[in-house]
mmCIF file of all heavy atoms in Angstrom:
data_model
loop_
_atom_site.group_PDB
_atom_site.id
_atom_site.type_symbol
_atom_site.label_atom_id
_atom_site.label_comp_id
_atom_site.label_asym_id
_atom_site.label_seq_id
_atom_site.Cartn_x
_atom_site.Cartn_y
_atom_site.Cartn_z
ATOM 1 N N LEU U 77 -27.560 33.641 -56.249
ATOM 2 C CA LEU U 77 -27.464 32.227 -56.194
ATOM 3 C C LEU U 77 -25.966 31.766 -55.794
ATOM 4 O O LEU U 77 -25.856 30.918 -54.903
ATOM 5 C CB LEU U 77 -27.688 31.586 -57.579
ATOM 6 C CG LEU U 77 -27.786 30.064 -57.672
ATOM 7 C CD1 LEU U 77 -28.648 29.381 -56.708
ATOM 8 C CD2 LEU U 77 -28.028 29.607 -59.012
ATOM 9 N N LYS U 78 -24.971 32.448 -56.364
ATOM 10 C CA LYS U 78 -23.742 32.032 -56.045
ATOM 11 C C LYS U 78 -23.241 32.383 -54.480
ATOM 12 O O LYS U 78 -22.640 31.752 -53.940
ATOM 13 C CB LYS U 78 -22.699 32.712 -56.991
ATOM 14 C CG LYS U 78 -22.682 32.122 -58.314
ATOM 15 C CD LYS U 78 -21.600 32.805 -59.224
ATOM 16 C CE LYS U 78 -21.507 32.279 -60.621
ATOM 17 N NZ LYS U 78 -20.585 33.080 -61.531
ATOM 18 N N VAL U 79 -23.892 33.666 -54.162
ATOM 19 C CA VAL U 79 -23.623 34.006 -52.651
ATOM 20 C C VAL U 79 -24.256 33.059 -51.749
ATOM 21 O O VAL U 79 -23.604 32.588 -50.855
ATOM 22 C CB VAL U 79 -24.264 35.467 -52.571
ATOM 23 C CG1 VAL U 79 -24.368 35.725 -50.986
ATOM 24 C CG2 VAL U 79 -23.349 36.500 -53.139
ATOM 25 N N ALA U 80 -25.529 32.667 -51.975
ATOM 26 C CA ALA U 80 -26.188 31.694 -51.161
ATOM 27 C C ALA U 80 -25.490 30.325 -51.128
ATOM 28 O O ALA U 80 -25.286 29.758 -50.082
ATOM 29 C CB ALA U 80 -27.643 31.459 -51.643
ATOM 30 N N ASP U 81 -25.036 29.935 -52.279
ATOM 31 C CA ASP U 81 -24.301 28.647 -52.379
ATOM 32 C C ASP U 81 -23.053 28.683 -51.539
ATOM 33 O O ASP U 81 -22.593 27.687 -51.102
ATOM 34 C CB ASP U 81 -24.188 28.243 -53.763
ATOM 35 C CG ASP U 81 -25.333 27.623 -54.518
ATOM 36 O OD1 ASP U 81 -26.323 27.217 -53.699
ATOM 37 O OD2 ASP U 81 -25.364 27.504 -55.667
ATOM 38 N N ALA U 82 -22.300 29.817 -51.645
ATOM 39 C CA ALA U 82 -21.018 29.908 -50.969
ATOM 40 C C ALA U 82 -21.236 29.758 -49.462
ATOM 41 O O ALA U 82 -20.436 29.139 -48.858
ATOM 42 C CB ALA U 82 -20.419 31.316 -51.299
ATOM 43 N N VAL U 83 -22.267 30.370 -48.970
ATOM 44 C CA VAL U 83 -22.563 30.287 -47.490
ATOM 45 C C VAL U 83 -22.877 28.898 -47.170
ATOM 46 O O VAL U 83 -22.395 28.266 -46.143
ATOM 47 C CB VAL U 83 -23.741 31.315 -47.151
ATOM 48 C CG1 VAL U 83 -24.055 31.124 -45.488
ATOM 49 C CG2 VAL U 83 -23.241 32.770 -47.374
ATOM 50 N N LEU U 84 -23.814 28.332 -47.938
ATOM 51 C CA LEU U 84 -24.312 26.908 -47.608
ATOM 52 C C LEU U 84 -23.097 25.900 -47.719
ATOM 53 O O LEU U 84 -22.913 24.962 -46.929
ATOM 54 C CB LEU U 84 -25.447 26.466 -48.647
ATOM 55 C CG LEU U 84 -26.735 27.269 -48.354
ATOM 56 C CD1 LEU U 84 -27.658 26.995 -49.550
ATOM 57 C CD2 LEU U 84 -27.347 26.887 -47.112
ATOM 58 N N ALA U 85 -22.250 26.140 -48.757
ATOM 59 C CA ALA U 85 -21.171 25.256 -48.879
ATOM 60 C C ALA U 85 -20.207 25.219 -47.745
ATOM 61 O O ALA U 85 -19.747 24.276 -47.255
ATOM 62 C CB ALA U 85 -20.310 25.534 -50.178
ATOM 63 N N ASP U 86 -20.088 26.377 -47.153
ATOM 64 C CA ASP U 86 -19.200 26.666 -46.027
ATOM 65 C C ASP U 86 -19.697 25.768 -44.803
ATOM 66 O O ASP U 86 -19.036 25.095 -44.091
ATOM 67 C CB ASP U 86 -18.985 28.008 -45.578
ATOM 68 C CG ASP U 86 -17.499 28.507 -46.021
ATOM 69 O OD1 ASP U 86 -16.832 27.684 -46.474
ATOM 70 O OD2 ASP U 86 -17.125 29.530 -45.739
ATOM 71 N N ILE U 87 -21.029 26.174 -44.511
ATOM 72 C CA ILE U 87 -21.589 25.582 -43.164
ATOM 73 C C ILE U 87 -21.800 24.072 -43.262
ATOM 74 O O ILE U 87 -21.833 23.343 -42.278
ATOM 75 C CB ILE U 87 -22.873 26.325 -42.730
ATOM 76 C CG1 ILE U 87 -24.010 26.100 -43.782
ATOM 77 C CG2 ILE U 87 -22.707 27.777 -42.524
ATOM 78 C CD1 ILE U 87 -25.335 26.676 -43.383
ATOM 79 N N TYR U 88 -21.900 23.564 -44.541
ATOM 80 C CA TYR U 88 -21.925 22.028 -44.717
ATOM 81 C C TYR U 88 -20.595 21.236 -44.780
ATOM 82 O O TYR U 88 -20.667 20.042 -44.891
ATOM 83 C CB TYR U 88 -22.761 21.768 -45.957
ATOM 84 C CG TYR U 88 -24.214 22.227 -46.016
ATOM 85 C CD1 TYR U 88 -24.881 22.550 -47.204
ATOM 86 C CD2 TYR U 88 -24.925 22.246 -44.815
ATOM 87 C CE1 TYR U 88 -26.183 22.938 -47.236
ATOM 88 C CE2 TYR U 88 -26.348 22.655 -44.885
ATOM 89 C CZ TYR U 88 -26.904 23.028 -45.986
ATOM 90 O OH TYR U 88 -28.309 23.378 -46.063
ATOM 91 N N LYS U 89 -19.524 22.022 -44.633
ATOM 92 C CA LYS U 89 -18.258 21.294 -44.664
ATOM 93 C C LYS U 89 -18.086 20.534 -43.422
ATOM 94 O O LYS U 89 -18.680 20.761 -42.437
ATOM 95 C CB LYS U 89 -17.191 22.356 -44.692
ATOM 96 C CG LYS U 89 -16.910 23.041 -46.070
ATOM 97 C CD LYS U 89 -15.666 24.017 -46.107
ATOM 98 C CE LYS U 89 -15.412 24.306 -47.526
ATOM 99 N NZ LYS U 89 -15.668 25.709 -47.829
ATOM 100 N N PRO U 90 -17.285 19.400 -43.490
ATOM 101 C CA PRO U 90 -16.926 18.689 -42.242
ATOM 102 C C PRO U 90 -16.128 19.564 -41.341
ATOM 103 O O PRO U 90 -15.518 20.638 -41.763
ATOM 104 C CB PRO U 90 -16.002 17.545 -42.833
ATOM 105 C CG PRO U 90 -15.861 17.682 -44.268
ATOM 106 C CD PRO U 90 -16.466 18.968 -44.723
ATOM 107 N N GLU U 91 -15.951 19.111 -40.165
ATOM 108 C CA GLU U 91 -15.240 19.919 -39.063
ATOM 109 C C GLU U 91 -13.858 20.069 -39.267
ATOM 110 O O GLU U 91 -13.236 21.062 -39.037
ATOM 111 C CB GLU U 91 -15.604 19.241 -37.667
ATOM 112 C CG GLU U 91 -14.855 19.825 -36.577
ATOM 113 C CD GLU U 91 -13.605 18.999 -36.396
ATOM 114 O OE1 GLU U 91 -13.411 17.863 -36.782
ATOM 115 O OE2 GLU U 91 -12.708 19.762 -35.760
ATOM 116 N N TYR U 92 -13.266 19.214 -40.117
ATOM 117 C CA TYR U 92 -11.884 19.101 -40.399
ATOM 118 C C TYR U 92 -11.442 19.967 -41.574
ATOM 119 O O TYR U 92 -10.322 20.109 -42.010
ATOM 120 C CB TYR U 92 -11.225 17.685 -40.391
ATOM 121 C CG TYR U 92 -11.975 16.824 -41.309
ATOM 122 C CD1 TYR U 92 -11.749 16.797 -42.638
ATOM 123 C CD2 TYR U 92 -12.981 15.752 -40.862
ATOM 124 C CE1 TYR U 92 -12.569 15.878 -43.532
ATOM 125 C CE2 TYR U 92 -13.697 15.011 -41.582
ATOM 126 C CZ TYR U 92 -13.437 14.996 -42.939
ATOM 127 O OH TYR U 92 -14.046 14.297 -43.807
ATOM 128 N N VAL U 93 -12.440 20.548 -42.324
ATOM 129 C CA VAL U 93 -12.181 21.450 -43.309
ATOM 130 C C VAL U 93 -12.563 22.836 -43.044
ATOM 131 O O VAL U 93 -13.651 23.163 -42.684
ATOM 132 C CB VAL U 93 -13.058 20.991 -44.690
ATOM 133 C CG1 VAL U 93 -12.791 21.936 -45.896
ATOM 134 C CG2 VAL U 93 -12.631 19.637 -45.070
ATOM 135 N N LYS U 94 -11.611 23.777 -43.101
ATOM 136 C CA LYS U 94 -11.901 25.177 -42.593
ATOM 137 C C LYS U 94 -12.817 25.905 -43.702
ATOM 138 O O LYS U 94 -12.888 25.648 -44.807
ATOM 139 C CB LYS U 94 -10.599 25.946 -42.645
ATOM 140 C CG LYS U 94 -9.571 25.435 -41.665
ATOM 141 C CD LYS U 94 -9.872 25.427 -40.249
ATOM 142 C CE LYS U 94 -8.936 24.704 -39.386
ATOM 143 N NZ LYS U 94 -9.613 24.138 -38.193
ATOM 144 N N MET U 95 -13.712 26.691 -43.094
ATOM 145 C CA MET U 95 -14.618 27.424 -43.858
ATOM 146 C C MET U 95 -13.931 28.621 -44.696
ATOM 147 O O MET U 95 -13.034 29.306 -44.141
ATOM 148 C CB MET U 95 -15.747 28.052 -43.072
ATOM 149 C CG MET U 95 -16.617 26.951 -42.374
ATOM 150 S SD MET U 95 -18.162 27.584 -41.739
ATOM 151 C CE MET U 95 -17.655 28.412 -40.225
ATOM 152 N N ASP U 96 -14.303 28.770 -45.937
ATOM 153 C CA ASP U 96 -13.617 29.713 -46.776
ATOM 154 C C ASP U 96 -13.746 31.178 -46.451
ATOM 155 O O ASP U 96 -13.000 32.076 -46.795
ATOM 156 C CB ASP U 96 -13.905 29.494 -48.323
ATOM 157 C CG ASP U 96 -13.275 28.104 -48.674
ATOM 158 O OD1 ASP U 96 -12.215 27.814 -48.245
ATOM 159 O OD2 ASP U 96 -13.979 27.521 -49.690
ATOM 160 N N LEU U 97 -15.200 31.461 -46.129
ATOM 161 C CA LEU U 97 -15.609 32.870 -46.125
ATOM 162 C C LEU U 97 -15.090 33.532 -44.787
ATOM 163 O O LEU U 97 -15.176 34.779 -44.727
ATOM 164 C CB LEU U 97 -17.098 32.921 -46.154
ATOM 165 C CG LEU U 97 -17.708 32.182 -47.289
ATOM 166 C CD1 LEU U 97 -19.346 32.397 -47.296
ATOM 167 C CD2 LEU U 97 -17.259 33.021 -48.687
ATOM 168 N N VAL U 98 -14.439 32.883 -43.860
ATOM 169 C CA VAL U 98 -14.086 33.538 -42.607
ATOM 170 C C VAL U 98 -13.083 34.619 -42.953
ATOM 171 O O VAL U 98 -13.125 35.655 -42.536
ATOM 172 C CB VAL U 98 -13.417 32.498 -41.583
ATOM 173 C CG1 VAL U 98 -12.840 33.172 -40.420
ATOM 174 C CG2 VAL U 98 -14.614 31.657 -41.212
ATOM 175 N N GLU U 99 -12.036 34.204 -43.700
ATOM 176 C CA GLU U 99 -11.045 35.196 -44.075
ATOM 177 C C GLU U 99 -11.545 36.314 -44.891
ATOM 178 O O GLU U 99 -11.145 37.517 -44.702
ATOM 179 C CB GLU U 99 -9.852 34.544 -44.828
ATOM 180 C CG GLU U 99 -8.807 35.437 -45.041
ATOM 181 C CD GLU U 99 -7.487 34.611 -45.603
ATOM 182 O OE1 GLU U 99 -7.525 33.501 -46.019
ATOM 183 O OE2 GLU U 99 -6.331 35.346 -45.603
ATOM 184 N N LYS U 100 -12.492 36.106 -45.796
ATOM 185 C CA LYS U 100 -13.072 37.129 -46.541
ATOM 186 C C LYS U 100 -13.929 38.084 -45.759
ATOM 187 O O LYS U 100 -14.159 39.291 -46.111
ATOM 188 C CB LYS U 100 -14.015 36.436 -47.727
ATOM 189 C CG LYS U 100 -13.161 35.549 -48.662
ATOM 190 C CD LYS U 100 -14.055 34.985 -49.711
ATOM 191 C CE LYS U 100 -13.422 33.839 -50.424
ATOM 192 N NZ LYS U 100 -12.395 34.036 -51.361
ATOM 193 N N MET U 101 -14.554 37.610 -44.755
ATOM 194 C CA MET U 101 -15.457 38.489 -43.781
ATOM 195 C C MET U 101 -14.673 39.146 -42.683
ATOM 196 O O MET U 101 -15.123 40.216 -42.230
ATOM 197 C CB MET U 101 -16.504 37.654 -43.316
ATOM 198 C CG MET U 101 -17.525 37.117 -44.393
ATOM 199 S SD MET U 101 -18.398 38.338 -45.243
ATOM 200 C CE MET U 101 -19.253 39.197 -44.113
ATOM 201 N N ALA U 102 -13.594 38.555 -42.251
ATOM 202 C CA ALA U 102 -13.009 38.965 -40.849
ATOM 203 C C ALA U 102 -12.134 40.273 -41.168
ATOM 204 O O ALA U 102 -11.507 40.368 -42.248
ATOM 205 C CB ALA U 102 -12.296 37.936 -40.245
ATOM 206 N N TYR U 103 -12.056 40.940 -40.011
ATOM 207 C CA TYR U 103 -11.024 42.026 -39.976
ATOM 208 C C TYR U 103 -9.560 41.466 -40.107
ATOM 209 O O TYR U 103 -9.237 40.615 -39.167
ATOM 210 C CB TYR U 103 -11.296 42.777 -38.666
ATOM 211 C CG TYR U 103 -10.293 43.896 -38.309
ATOM 212 C CD1 TYR U 103 -10.155 44.929 -39.224
ATOM 213 C CD2 TYR U 103 -9.682 43.959 -37.067
ATOM 214 C CE1 TYR U 103 -9.319 45.962 -38.853
ATOM 215 C CE2 TYR U 103 -8.912 45.057 -36.658
ATOM 216 C CZ TYR U 103 -8.683 46.026 -37.581
ATOM 217 O OH TYR U 103 -7.901 47.021 -37.375
ATOM 218 N N PRO U 104 -8.750 41.763 -41.071
ATOM 219 C CA PRO U 104 -7.521 41.050 -41.240
ATOM 220 C C PRO U 104 -6.666 40.823 -39.977
ATOM 221 O O PRO U 104 -6.103 39.592 -39.744
ATOM 222 C CB PRO U 104 -6.841 41.712 -42.362
ATOM 223 C CG PRO U 104 -7.882 42.466 -43.203
ATOM 224 C CD PRO U 104 -9.015 42.794 -42.145
ATOM 225 N N PRO U 105 -6.330 41.837 -39.242
ATOM 226 C CA PRO U 105 -5.526 41.460 -37.971
ATOM 227 C C PRO U 105 -6.073 40.533 -37.122
ATOM 228 O O PRO U 105 -5.334 39.724 -36.559
ATOM 229 C CB PRO U 105 -5.322 42.940 -37.284
ATOM 230 C CG PRO U 105 -5.799 43.925 -38.351
ATOM 231 C CD PRO U 105 -6.815 43.121 -39.303
ATOM 232 N N ARG U 106 -7.428 40.504 -37.021
ATOM 233 C CA ARG U 106 -8.097 39.532 -36.182
ATOM 234 C C ARG U 106 -7.950 38.112 -36.734
ATOM 235 O O ARG U 106 -7.600 37.069 -35.953
ATOM 236 C CB ARG U 106 -9.524 39.998 -35.857
ATOM 237 C CG ARG U 106 -10.287 39.325 -34.832
ATOM 238 C CD ARG U 106 -11.494 39.984 -34.581
ATOM 239 N NE ARG U 106 -11.419 41.365 -34.009
ATOM 240 C CZ ARG U 106 -12.339 42.348 -34.132
ATOM 241 N NH1 ARG U 106 -13.414 42.049 -34.856
ATOM 242 N NH2 ARG U 106 -12.189 43.549 -33.651
ATOM 243 N N PHE U 107 -8.158 38.067 -38.031
ATOM 244 C CA PHE U 107 -8.088 36.708 -38.668
ATOM 245 C C PHE U 107 -6.633 36.088 -38.387
ATOM 246 O O PHE U 107 -6.562 34.870 -38.250
ATOM 247 C CB PHE U 107 -8.264 36.817 -40.159
ATOM 248 C CG PHE U 107 -8.211 35.460 -40.909
ATOM 249 C CD1 PHE U 107 -9.232 34.625 -41.075
ATOM 250 C CD2 PHE U 107 -6.994 35.231 -41.528
ATOM 251 C CE1 PHE U 107 -9.126 33.398 -41.726
ATOM 252 C CE2 PHE U 107 -6.831 33.928 -42.242
ATOM 253 C CZ PHE U 107 -7.856 33.124 -42.181
ATOM 254 N N LYS U 108 -5.587 36.969 -38.417
ATOM 255 C CA LYS U 108 -4.308 36.516 -38.266
ATOM 256 C C LYS U 108 -4.086 35.938 -36.860
ATOM 257 O O LYS U 108 -3.550 34.837 -36.756
ATOM 258 C CB LYS U 108 -3.301 37.778 -38.474
ATOM 259 C CG LYS U 108 -1.886 37.374 -38.462
ATOM 260 C CD LYS U 108 -1.090 38.634 -38.902
ATOM 261 C CE LYS U 108 0.387 38.524 -38.616
ATOM 262 N NZ LYS U 108 0.662 38.872 -37.215
ATOM 263 N N VAL U 109 -4.696 36.566 -35.827
ATOM 264 C CA VAL U 109 -4.646 36.172 -34.491
ATOM 265 C C VAL U 109 -5.344 34.728 -34.429
ATOM 266 O O VAL U 109 -4.868 33.758 -33.732
ATOM 267 C CB VAL U 109 -5.160 37.152 -33.551
ATOM 268 C CG1 VAL U 109 -5.396 36.539 -32.167
ATOM 269 C CG2 VAL U 109 -4.449 38.454 -33.590
ATOM 270 N N TRP U 110 -6.526 34.727 -34.979
ATOM 271 C CA TRP U 110 -7.330 33.428 -34.972
ATOM 272 C C TRP U 110 -6.526 32.280 -35.463
ATOM 273 O O TRP U 110 -6.496 31.137 -34.864
ATOM 274 C CB TRP U 110 -8.663 33.457 -35.750
ATOM 275 C CG TRP U 110 -9.563 34.525 -35.172
ATOM 276 C CD1 TRP U 110 -9.658 35.206 -33.829
ATOM 277 C CD2 TRP U 110 -10.566 35.115 -35.810
ATOM 278 N NE1 TRP U 110 -10.624 35.967 -33.723
ATOM 279 C CE2 TRP U 110 -11.381 35.990 -34.980
ATOM 280 C CE3 TRP U 110 -11.143 34.991 -37.167
ATOM 281 C CZ2 TRP U 110 -12.471 36.718 -35.331
ATOM 282 C CZ3 TRP U 110 -12.380 35.723 -37.461
ATOM 283 C CH2 TRP U 110 -12.997 36.570 -36.411
ATOM 284 N N LYS U 111 -5.710 32.503 -36.608
ATOM 285 C CA LYS U 111 -5.028 31.529 -37.324
ATOM 286 C C LYS U 111 -3.834 31.054 -36.361
ATOM 287 O O LYS U 111 -3.618 29.836 -36.184
ATOM 288 C CB LYS U 111 -4.351 32.096 -38.671
ATOM 289 C CG LYS U 111 -3.978 31.079 -39.576
ATOM 290 C CD LYS U 111 -3.696 31.649 -40.858
ATOM 291 C CE LYS U 111 -3.119 30.620 -41.800
ATOM 292 N NZ LYS U 111 -2.738 31.142 -43.195
ATOM 293 N N GLU U 112 -3.161 32.079 -35.780
ATOM 294 C CA GLU U 112 -2.077 31.761 -34.864
ATOM 295 C C GLU U 112 -2.497 30.872 -33.629
ATOM 296 O O GLU U 112 -1.782 30.062 -33.200
ATOM 297 C CB GLU U 112 -1.373 33.062 -34.307
ATOM 298 C CG GLU U 112 -0.578 33.809 -35.501
ATOM 299 C CD GLU U 112 -0.218 35.149 -34.993
ATOM 300 O OE1 GLU U 112 -0.669 35.640 -34.006
ATOM 301 O OE2 GLU U 112 0.352 35.911 -35.952
ATOM 302 N N LEU U 113 -3.784 31.307 -33.155
ATOM 303 C CA LEU U 113 -4.355 30.439 -32.078
ATOM 304 C C LEU U 113 -4.845 29.124 -32.523
ATOM 305 O O LEU U 113 -5.171 28.296 -31.607
ATOM 306 C CB LEU U 113 -5.404 31.281 -31.369
ATOM 307 C CG LEU U 113 -5.019 32.441 -30.543
ATOM 308 C CD1 LEU U 113 -6.360 33.226 -30.212
ATOM 309 C CD2 LEU U 113 -4.273 31.937 -29.286
ATOM 310 N N GLY U 114 -4.924 28.802 -33.686
ATOM 311 C CA GLY U 114 -5.484 27.488 -34.222
ATOM 312 C C GLY U 114 -6.962 27.414 -33.911
ATOM 313 O O GLY U 114 -7.494 26.419 -33.766
ATOM 314 N N ILE U 115 -7.735 28.489 -34.034
ATOM 315 C CA ILE U 115 -9.122 28.466 -33.736
ATOM 316 C C ILE U 115 -9.944 28.880 -35.022
ATOM 317 O O ILE U 115 -11.141 29.181 -34.916
ATOM 318 C CB ILE U 115 -9.575 29.285 -32.475
ATOM 319 C CG1 ILE U 115 -9.013 30.735 -32.685
ATOM 320 C CG2 ILE U 115 -8.863 28.769 -31.322
ATOM 321 C CD1 ILE U 115 -9.722 31.764 -31.623
ATOM 322 N N LEU U 116 -9.378 28.709 -36.246
ATOM 323 C CA LEU U 116 -10.178 28.886 -37.351
ATOM 324 C C LEU U 116 -11.260 27.732 -37.400
ATOM 325 O O LEU U 116 -10.941 26.625 -37.336
ATOM 326 C CB LEU U 116 -9.394 28.911 -38.676
ATOM 327 C CG LEU U 116 -8.455 30.221 -38.780
ATOM 328 C CD1 LEU U 116 -7.543 30.019 -40.009
ATOM 329 C CD2 LEU U 116 -9.232 31.394 -38.770
#
Side-chain angles (χ1 to χ4, degrees):
L77 180 60
K78 287 184 179 175
V79 163
D81 279 345
V83 174
L84 291 168
D86 252 4
I87 63 174
Y88 293 152
K89 285 190 166 106
E91 171 272 335
Y92 50 81
V93 177
K94 302 296 174 210
M95 294 196 287
D96 289 329
L97 301 177
V98 174
E99 185 168 13
K100 298 176 195 284
M101 294 298 297
Y103 178 53
R106 199 169 286 152
F107 179 82
K108 189 169 163 276
V109 174
W110 295 342
K111 200 170 176 186
E112 284 162 7
L113 285 173
I115 57 170
L116 292 177

